[in-house]
Amino acid sequence: MGHSQTEKAQSRERIVDRAAKQIRKNGLQSVSVGKLMSAVGLTHGGFYGHFSSRSELLAVALERAMSEGAESFHAEHPQSHAAFETILRRYLSRRHRDHPAEGCAIAALAGDAARSDETIRRAMSSHIKAFADEILDSLNGDDRGTALFIIGALVGTLTLSRVLDTKDSDALLAAAKRELFTLDAGRNSH
């Protein structure tokens, strides 16, 4: 007896949801198809009824993880676009540092994506570009290079802050906010 299309869609949703949560917490390489399928109550063989490859699953799960991170930010800041200061304070916060599974998937997974196939890199790149658009909007600017630099500073700072001890981590977060606020203040003074 076959599964209905509704049941198949629900199964696929469970697989993607579980994989997205797992990669946000433990990285792209943490996903084992067999273990994932078992965790959602399905057989390993059933995987290929939903995805053509592990790579396809990872691209879909990465997309989900990044979309959820963006949605989480916008749920807390529902205005049409967040002010640059709001983005900095939220992104470079202790809460964001201490909860990587709930935070920005770019920061959590960029290193993994850089070592992955073109499909994964393309998915990550599209979200970086969308984040750059958000930064440009928050600055009322048009310098894409500066927006990408800011993202690099945010992602790099957050990533390193998760490695350092609490004292140095807090100092790094504070210094990055201060320097990036200065960058914005300098732009506005011209």
Side-chain angles (χ1 to χ4, degrees):
M1 177 188 247
H3 291 291
S4 73
Q5 292 294 44
T6 301
E7 289 171 325
K8 185 174 180 178
Q10 289 170 343
S11 293
R12 180 182 170 95
E13 178 62 24
R14 286 194 329 266
I15 295 165
V16 172
D17 185 59
R18 181 67 163 243
K21 285 178 175 49
Q22 185 172 337
I23 65 172
R24 284 172 68 115
K25 184 175 182 184
N26 299 315
L28 290 170
Q29 298 310 315
S30 71
V31 176
S32 157
V33 171
K35 289 179 183 176
L36 175 66
M37 294 300 283
S38 177
V40 297
L42 299 169
T43 65
H44 186 133
F47 173 80
Y48 295 99
H50 299 281
F51 302 96
S52 62
S53 65
R54 180 176 178 272
S55 181
E56 180 189 357
L57 165 65
L58 291 177
V60 171
L62 177 62
E63 179 69 35
R64 170 76 56 87
M66 290 184 295
S67 294
E68 287 174 350
E71 288 170 13
S72 173
F73 178 82
H74 292 294
E76 289 186 30
H77 306 286
Q79 63 271 33
S80 62
H81 73 274
F84 185 65
E85 182 177 337
T86 301
I87 292 171
L88 293 183
R89 289 190 190 287
R90 171 109 196 295
Y91 202 96
L92 298 175
S93 68
R94 287 178 179 165
R95 175 165 170 51
H96 196 194
R97 174 195 66 200
D98 296 343
H99 297 92
E102 299 167 14
C104 176
I106 296 169
L109 299 168
D112 286 358
R115 291 182 295 277
S116 294
D117 67 25
E118 182 63 28
T119 304
I120 300 293
R121 289 192 309 274
R122 199 171 28 252
M124 177 67 74
S125 179
S126 73
H127 277 271
I128 293 169
K129 290 174 183 179
F131 193 16
D133 291 341
E134 188 174 338
I135 296 289
L136 285 172
D137 189 37
S138 74
L139 294 170
N140 295 315
D142 60 2
D143 183 350
R144 191 155 195 82
T146 296
L148 292 168
F149 165 77
I150 290 167
I151 292 168
L154 292 171
V155 169
T157 296
L158 186 63
T159 301
L160 293 178
S161 76
R162 289 176 173 162
V163 174
L164 297 169
D165 63 60
T166 302
K167 181 180 175 185
D168 284 340
S169 177
D170 287 345
L172 174 60
L173 291 172
K177 280 186 272 198
R178 184 177 61 247
E179 294 302 319
L180 288 169
F181 285 144
T182 301
L183 175 75
D184 184 39
R187 282 185 72 261
N188 291 326
S189 68
H190 291 112

